[in-house]
Structure formats: structure tokens, C-alpha cells
Amino acid sequence: MNASIKEILEKELQFSNKKVLIRGWVTSNRGNKKIRFISINDGSTIESLQITLKGEKFDFEILDQTRLGAAVEVEGEIILTPEAKQKLELLATSFKVLKNVDLDYPIQRQEINTETLREIPHLRHRTNLFRAIMLIRSTLALEIHNYFSKKGFLYFNAPIITSNDGEGAGETFFVNDGNKEKPFFGTNKATLGVTGQLHAESYAIGFNKVYTFAPTFRAEHSNTKKHAAEFWMVEPEVAFYELKDVITLADDLLKNVIKNTIQKHEAEFKFLTENIDKNLLNKLENFVNKKLTIMDYQEALVELEKVKNIFENKDIKFGLDFGTEHERYLAEKVVNGPVAITNFPKEFKAFYMHQNEDNKTVAAFDLLVPGIGELIGGSQREVRYDKLLSRALEIGISQDELQWYLDLRRFGDSGSSGFGIGFERLVMYVTGVDNIRDVIPYPRTTGNIKM
Amino acid sequence: MNASIKEILEKELQFSNKKVLIRGWVTSNRGNKKIRFISINDGSTIESLQITLKGEKFDFEILDQTRLGAAVEVEGEIILTPEAKQKLELLATSFKVLKNVDLDYPIQRQEINTETLREIPHLRHRTNLFRAIMLIRSTLALEIHNYFSKKGFLYFNAPIITSNDGEGAGETFFVNDGNKEKPFFGTNKATLGVTGQLHAESYAIGFNKVYTFAPTFRAEHSNTKKHAAEFWMVEPEVAFYELKDVITLADDLLKNVIKNTIQKHEAEFKFLTENIDKNLLNKLENFVNKKLTIMDYQEALVELEKVKNIFENKDIKFGLDFGTEHERYLAEKVVNGPVAITNFPKEFKAFYMHQNEDNKTVAAFDLLVPGIGELIGGSQREVRYDKLLSRALEIGISQDELQWYLDLRRFGDSGSSGFGIGFERLVMYVTGVDNIRDVIPYPRTTGNIKM
């Protein structure tokens, strides 16, 4: 019977005394010339399966030389061992080394720090830490697709290469085919998209509920633990939704996705709780079970003002664009959990956000979480043609370039709202890992484009 | 009760005589000053819901001026009408125009050809044709994720910006941040990935079964119906798999995904069969039910040789890289269904493919389908370090650049196989639409980067 180690461990009774065939990679190898215990991992879980090998049918010379990382194929019988440290083992009847590893294989039993592992992104997923992170990352992505699919959202692909700078923020990468005289797209302004939102809006008008899940790019030089030049974004956009509706959607999405992911990764969360953050599962369960706090920007200012001396940026007044220190204080100290801050000053928010009646703020929200700060940013979009156009012109976007987007407002657009989740930030939050370079397989940052 | 039009139409008995609230967009508006029939669509299906409005509570002046494309909100009761053309209608108790459309709204009842619609990618999805295509596209994507998830695959994100040219084929886009002196990534060779395969291989060794689903890019100037500069690829990679295993996987994946998609889109396939290809559903059901034919490249040559005069390229001999005309002949005339051609001459295949013992061919396959030609290309990967290296050097790839990939073979890689599906080609095949520009929301081709 072919089975994954995850299946065998989860359905132990079903596999008791059954013959199985496993292919995987050696994670430990000990014993002597008469009995050998070799653990193998097949990537389905961070847990390894212990293989017991004894008897004359095995060449103990070969077993002895089978190094960590070697690919092997084992057949045998599953034996439940309720008294032992591991709850079951595989009593091998045959053992084949499919491919050994060279002696300079860098992944060994002793721990390697994550910084060193970043130099070998093609191998680091063979450590328990990165196995856990990447398994959880994969499940988070699938649970996001499942959530939207169940709610009747259309999965929409915005263009990646675009002539449209969504945020009006600059910091974009340019794309060319090396031909300076005659550029591929007929323009030198082809860039990599920083958001799929504007295009998603066009599809929300007609499909009602849509979302993107795609790579986005920023040529930002900030060398922080939270920023990468290439990262994945999830951007739902819903017609007829206002600010409050879309905050509810964000909260419900996160709660469902996190709850389902925890259920599917008991072993991985146990490992992360033991090794990365003792409080991890508590924190996530708190998130899932607690009602989201919603706080107006100006209320938040009052809270920050009370303790302004603890901040590096002490200039707490209307107009302040919160830094991570302020965001974390609000989530960690004021609320002790996630908090949605609403109605920010329009000056530092994007041109397309709904302008509130006070003429100073926009109907935007940032969802802040402990340990990270901003996880989600979103808004109700400005549906009034004139207000949208004048704000765009104010910040120097040309009407020509934006006419298609403005035209949505003339053609049956009665308003929509949406938000963006930085997917890697979600993975960081859920795994407790504090550096974005460790939650994406091949991170891209300033000066770093390994492999 | 809030419900989508798709739900109401699929569960008609459950909604009979129930009050519902619908928000959507007007697709037709007829009647007189006493009774009005307005159809609305909410994007959940291509079908519209007929609203009947009568009585003094409605302002028939406003109803008369509510144009196609207007956003409206209607409340009323679902009445089953088994004798009428449409099986149910909504008898309105209230009707609100949330946003009318300006008079120059281009989507009207008379059909517009697809070429003209390509000029307005932000609006064309409000026609029945593009509604059907994009609904099916979304479901195909989700069914692909579901299939792999059920089979225990890890969803893996290869880097998009890379210093590694996967196919060794050139035709890549370059990425820069506008700084010539000090390029963002410290190199002028940062490009957009043409495949995630090499990186996926690194993850297959450790995770066993992985897949990507991501945008890929080619700076190809070919102005054909099948080529785009930006397209989405699905690339599974499985450790321990050989050529035959991965062909079986491709066949099983497609059959499951297509079968489930057909079931979820009765109305859309009815529309496409009536308007695009009378034979569409027959073709797809034939695919789902028929055993896949596997044919060696040299057998295929024999078949082509028999009729070589019908081809533009009549040079049918070992070494021929099949053109679309040859591919379609094999699928449409010889097999009358999908066919996997195997063991191609190594000259025109990628360097990483397993070299067969004949020293002439590689363990590759192309899956050809009627109407399209190549839908999938895949191979068993060369696991022998020396053979892999010498082939790479032969075609001019530097060892330095490739060392990380070569090293996989030294570190427990006992072989893997995988394939790539051009996702847009799959959407073309499944919808019967013959131009790639019409199956992706915002197509990017030479000189075309609208919006």
C-alpha cells in the first residue's frame, strides 16, 4: 500500500500491521551492526517515520553509509508502539538507497541559523523549521482559495505587466526586452504591477465579488524584516460593499483561514510553538475567538498620545502616518489582539479612496496585528467621478492614463470596497517567524536575487 | 433573503414564493407604462433573472430610463413560471437604481465582435461571451488547486524575478528600477521567469509532490492566436516519478478538472456550445471518457509521412520540431482526441531532460489536443550529474549560474518528473475560444499593454 507519512500517523489504527511502501529522505540514522534505526521524512509532514532494520537480509555496511538527506525506498510493516517515544514504527522488509548525498551536504543534525540558511534557499526546506513554514504557507494559500470559492467569488487575474501605476506611489520596476529603439510593448513605461486592485474593480462591476492572488512588486530599498521586492498579495473587491462590510469580510476570512490551517497542521504548530514562539497557538486562538476591535484613527491618536514618549516618532497628531512602533503598540498594548483602524487622513492614503464628509479623512482601514503591525490595508472606493478625478489630478496622475478607470464610474459602478493582504505577512503572523525572507521560498530584496 | 441568481436558478423550489433581495446590472429592459420586464445579472452565472414590475408603486418614467448596464437593487418574491420561456421570475416589490450608465456605454444588446471588445478589456466581461469565459476560467483554476490539494501536493511559489534562465531559450524580459549605475538586484541580468520548474525541482526533493500556479513571461514577438507575453502556468513536479507516471498524472488531472468544471457551468457551456462551437461538449466529454493515446515520436513521424503533402512544412524526418499543423493533424485526424507524443529528439528540447539510451532522444512528452495542438509539455528530468552538466555546457549555459541546480543531483535527488500546462491554452481548449487574447482578462502581446 502506498501512503504518505502524514496519513500513516493520522490514521495509525488503519495502518496497524499493514504493509506499506515509503519513499523519502533520511533524517537520522543510528544503531549498530545488528540493528539500525533510520528515520525518514517524505515531505507530507515535519514528522519522520522511524524504520527499524534488523536481520541478515540487510547489508549493514550500506545502512551505515546512508547519510542524512539520502533518498531511500523502504517496504515493511507498520507496528504500533504505544509505549515508545514515537507511537509507531516501520519494521522494514526491504531497504533501497535510491541516491546517497555527497559529503558536503550542508543540512545536518546540528541547527543552522536562519541567516546562513538564506544562502541556500534550494536546500533549506529540508530542515524542520522550513518544512513547517512551507507546509503552513501552502495550506494558508489553499484555504484562502477555498474561502472565496465557497462565498461565490470569481478568481480574477490582474495583469502583472502594466502601464498603470496603481498607487501613484512610484517605486515600480520597469520591464523591457532589451530593445531600446523599439520597446516590446511600444512604451518605456511598462512596469510590474504593485497591486491588482484597479483592474479587480473593473471585474467587480459585473462579477460582483472577485479576488486576486498573485505576485506584486515594489522597488523599495527598505532593508527591513517586513519588506521584500517580490511578494504575493490577496486582493478581494466587492461591488455594493461599504467600509464596514469589507472589514467584516477581512475578519471572517482571516478567522476561517487560520482556524482551518491550525487544524491541518498539529505537528507543525507544535514544533513552531516549541521552537519559535511559546505563545504562538494562544495568540492564534485568541485571534480566531475574539471579536475584532474597530477604532477610529482619531481615537487611536488619543491612545498613542498618552504614551508618546515611548516612541521614536513622538509627533502624535492628526496627519501622522503610523509607523510599525505605533501599530504594534495599538495591537499589542491597547487592544491585545487585532485591531482595525479606520478613517485615516487622506494625505497619506491612495487617491481612489472614498472621501469622507469631513473633507479630511478617507474611508480606509488598516488591520493591525501583534508582532507585525499592518497585515491588511483596504478601503471603500471613491465612486463619485468628480471627486475621484480631482484627487487624482491633485497628486499628479494624468487623466489620460486613468480614463479607463474613471469611466467605470460612468458605467454602472455604484461603488465597491476591497482590501489587500500581504500574503507573506500573513505567513509570518501565523508561523511566528519574524523575517519575510524566511516565509517565501526564494526571497527577493535589494541586491538579492539568488538562483 | 440574500441570494445569488445562480443559487436561485439552481434551487428554484427552495426559493419559490420567497422574498429575495438582488443587486446586479440590467441586461434588458422592455415593456410599457403599466408593466415592465427588466432582466438583471449579478455575475454569478451568465443567466439573468427576469424582474416583473407592475403597479402604482413604481415610477415608470424612471424604469423607462434605466439603461443596460445600470446597477440596481430589487426586492420581491420568486414566482415559478414553468410554462414561460424562463422558469422563474422575480415579482418586484421595490426597485432602486443605484447607478445609471452614461449614454456612450459601449456594451449594448447587439453583438460586438471580439476584436473590438479587445479595445475595452475593462468592460468586455459584461457580455455573455466573456462572462462565460471568465467564470469557467475561475473554476478551472480552483479545480486545479483542489485536485493537487487532495493528492497531497505542496503549493509552491517559484520566484518571478530571477537570475536564472530556465529554458536556456532567451526571449526573456529584463527588470530594472531605473537606476543604471547601481541596479536594484546588483545585476543587469534580472529577468522575469519563463518557468518555475527548476525551482520547483528543488522543492520536490524534500516535499515529494509540489506544483506552481503563477504568471510566466516570454518576450516573444510571434503574433499568433496562441502566444501571449504574459500567461499563467501550472507546473507540477514529483520526486521519484518517471515519464510514464507523469503522463498518467497529466491525464488524470485534466480529466478531473474538466469533468468538475462542466458540472458547475451548465448554463455557460450551453451558451458556448450554441455560440462558439457546436461540438464543444461532445469534444470535452470524449476527452474525459477516452483513454489517452500514447505515441512515440517516431511512430508519429510515420503517420505524418503518409500525408506529408498536406503540410506547409513537408520535411517529415527525425529531427523535425512539430508545428501546430502537425500537432493538430495527429490529435484531430490520427487519434481523434488527445495524444501524448513521447521521446523527442534532444536537439530541440530543454537541457534538463532525461537522455535516453539511444543518445538521440529525451524522455519528454507533449500532450496534443484537437483545435489547439500542444497543451502540455513535460519530461523526466536528467538526474545524472555528468550528463546534465555536459548537455548544459553544450548549449552554452554557464556552470557557475547552474551550480545550485546541479547540486540538487549531489544531494539526495533520485530523479523527478513534471510538466507545464499553459493555463490560457487550457481555458481556450475548454471554452472553444480560439484566441488567447480572449481568455485572459488583460492580455499582453507585442505592442499591447492596455490599462
Short mmCIF file of all heavy atoms in Angstrom, two decimals, chain B residues 219-236:
data_model
loop_
_atom_site.label_atom_id
_atom_site.label_comp_id
_atom_site.label_asym_id
_atom_site.label_seq_id
_atom_site.Cartn_x
_atom_site.Cartn_y
_atom_site.Cartn_z
N ALA B 219 9.24 37.21 -23.96
CA ALA B 219 9.31 38.37 -24.86
C ALA B 219 9.33 37.88 -26.31
O ALA B 219 10.20 38.22 -27.08
CB ALA B 219 10.56 39.20 -24.53
N GLU B 220 8.31 37.10 -26.63
CA GLU B 220 8.21 36.50 -27.95
C GLU B 220 7.43 37.42 -28.87
O GLU B 220 6.33 37.85 -28.51
CB GLU B 220 7.44 35.18 -27.84
CG GLU B 220 8.25 33.98 -28.25
CD GLU B 220 7.43 32.72 -28.09
OE1 GLU B 220 6.57 32.65 -27.19
OE2 GLU B 220 7.66 31.80 -28.88
N HIS B 221 7.97 37.67 -30.06
CA HIS B 221 7.27 38.59 -30.94
C HIS B 221 6.21 37.90 -31.78
O HIS B 221 5.51 38.55 -32.56
CB HIS B 221 8.27 39.34 -31.83
CG HIS B 221 8.95 40.46 -31.10
ND1 HIS B 221 8.37 41.69 -30.92
CD2 HIS B 221 10.14 40.52 -30.46
CE1 HIS B 221 9.17 42.47 -30.23
NE2 HIS B 221 10.26 41.78 -29.92
N SER B 222 6.10 36.57 -31.68
CA SER B 222 5.14 35.87 -32.53
C SER B 222 3.73 36.39 -32.28
O SER B 222 3.21 36.35 -31.18
CB SER B 222 5.17 34.36 -32.28
OG SER B 222 5.70 34.06 -31.03
N ASN B 223 3.16 36.88 -33.35
CA ASN B 223 1.82 37.47 -33.26
C ASN B 223 0.78 36.44 -33.70
O ASN B 223 0.14 36.56 -34.72
CB ASN B 223 1.78 38.71 -34.17
CG ASN B 223 0.54 39.52 -33.92
OD1 ASN B 223 -0.12 39.38 -32.89
ND2 ASN B 223 0.20 40.37 -34.88
N THR B 224 0.64 35.37 -32.89
CA THR B 224 -0.29 34.30 -33.25
C THR B 224 -1.47 34.30 -32.28
O THR B 224 -1.49 35.05 -31.32
CB THR B 224 0.38 32.91 -33.16
OG1 THR B 224 0.42 32.52 -31.78
CG2 THR B 224 1.79 32.95 -33.71
N LYS B 225 -2.42 33.44 -32.54
CA LYS B 225 -3.58 33.32 -31.66
C LYS B 225 -3.26 32.57 -30.37
O LYS B 225 -4.06 32.54 -29.45
CB LYS B 225 -4.71 32.58 -32.40
CG LYS B 225 -5.33 33.39 -33.52
CD LYS B 225 -6.45 32.59 -34.17
CE LYS B 225 -7.27 33.48 -35.10
NZ LYS B 225 -8.49 32.80 -35.57
N LYS B 226 -2.10 31.90 -30.33
CA LYS B 226 -1.75 31.06 -29.18
C LYS B 226 -0.74 31.70 -28.24
O LYS B 226 -0.47 31.16 -27.18
CB LYS B 226 -1.14 29.72 -29.63
CG LYS B 226 -1.97 28.90 -30.56
CD LYS B 226 -1.63 27.41 -30.46
CE LYS B 226 -0.18 27.09 -30.79
NZ LYS B 226 0.08 25.62 -30.81
N HIS B 227 -0.09 32.78 -28.66
CA HIS B 227 1.02 33.32 -27.88
C HIS B 227 0.70 34.64 -27.20
O HIS B 227 0.14 35.53 -27.81
CB HIS B 227 2.26 33.49 -28.76
CG HIS B 227 2.86 32.19 -29.19
ND1 HIS B 227 2.49 31.56 -30.36
CD2 HIS B 227 3.77 31.38 -28.60
CE1 HIS B 227 3.16 30.42 -30.47
NE2 HIS B 227 3.95 30.28 -29.42
N ALA B 228 1.08 34.74 -25.94
CA ALA B 228 0.98 36.00 -25.22
C ALA B 228 2.29 36.20 -24.47
O ALA B 228 3.02 35.25 -24.19
CB ALA B 228 -0.19 35.97 -24.25
N ALA B 229 2.61 37.46 -24.16
CA ALA B 229 3.86 37.77 -23.46
C ALA B 229 3.76 37.43 -21.98
O ALA B 229 4.76 37.20 -21.32
CB ALA B 229 4.20 39.25 -23.65
N GLU B 230 2.54 37.40 -21.48
CA GLU B 230 2.30 37.11 -20.07
C GLU B 230 1.19 36.08 -19.99
O GLU B 230 0.12 36.28 -20.56
CB GLU B 230 1.86 38.42 -19.39
CG GLU B 230 1.39 38.27 -17.97
CD GLU B 230 0.98 39.62 -17.35
OE1 GLU B 230 1.70 40.61 -17.55
OE2 GLU B 230 -0.06 39.66 -16.69
N PHE B 231 1.45 34.97 -19.34
CA PHE B 231 0.44 33.91 -19.26
C PHE B 231 0.68 33.13 -17.99
O PHE B 231 1.75 33.20 -17.39
CB PHE B 231 0.52 33.00 -20.49
CG PHE B 231 1.89 32.44 -20.76
CD1 PHE B 231 2.21 31.14 -20.39
CD2 PHE B 231 2.85 33.22 -21.39
CE1 PHE B 231 3.49 30.64 -20.63
CE2 PHE B 231 4.12 32.71 -21.63
CZ PHE B 231 4.44 31.42 -21.25
N TRP B 232 -0.32 32.38 -17.55
CA TRP B 232 -0.21 31.63 -16.31
C TRP B 232 0.14 30.18 -16.60
O TRP B 232 -0.34 29.60 -17.57
CB TRP B 232 -1.52 31.74 -15.50
CG TRP B 232 -1.68 33.10 -14.90
CD1 TRP B 232 -1.88 34.28 -15.58
CD2 TRP B 232 -1.61 33.45 -13.50
NE1 TRP B 232 -1.94 35.33 -14.68
CE2 TRP B 232 -1.78 34.85 -13.41
CE3 TRP B 232 -1.42 32.71 -12.32
CZ2 TRP B 232 -1.78 35.53 -12.18
CZ3 TRP B 232 -1.42 33.39 -11.12
CH2 TRP B 232 -1.59 34.78 -11.05
N MET B 233 1.01 29.65 -15.76
CA MET B 233 1.42 28.25 -15.96
C MET B 233 1.15 27.46 -14.69
O MET B 233 1.28 27.96 -13.57
CB MET B 233 2.92 28.18 -16.22
CG MET B 233 3.34 28.65 -17.58
SD MET B 233 3.55 27.28 -18.74
CE MET B 233 5.17 26.70 -18.23
N VAL B 234 0.82 26.21 -14.89
CA VAL B 234 0.67 25.25 -13.80
C VAL B 234 1.78 24.23 -13.99
O VAL B 234 1.87 23.62 -15.05
CB VAL B 234 -0.69 24.54 -13.87
CG1 VAL B 234 -0.82 23.53 -12.74
CG2 VAL B 234 -1.82 25.55 -13.84
N GLU B 235 2.65 24.09 -12.99
CA GLU B 235 3.80 23.21 -13.16
C GLU B 235 3.97 22.26 -11.97
O GLU B 235 4.57 22.63 -10.97
CB GLU B 235 5.08 24.03 -13.37
CG GLU B 235 5.04 24.86 -14.64
CD GLU B 235 6.34 25.64 -14.87
OE1 GLU B 235 6.55 26.65 -14.19
OE2 GLU B 235 7.15 25.21 -15.72
N PRO B 236 3.42 21.05 -12.05
CA PRO B 236 3.68 20.06 -11.01
C PRO B 236 5.05 19.40 -11.21
O PRO B 236 5.54 19.30 -12.34
CB PRO B 236 2.56 19.02 -11.22
CG PRO B 236 2.11 19.18 -12.61
CD PRO B 236 2.46 20.57 -13.06
#
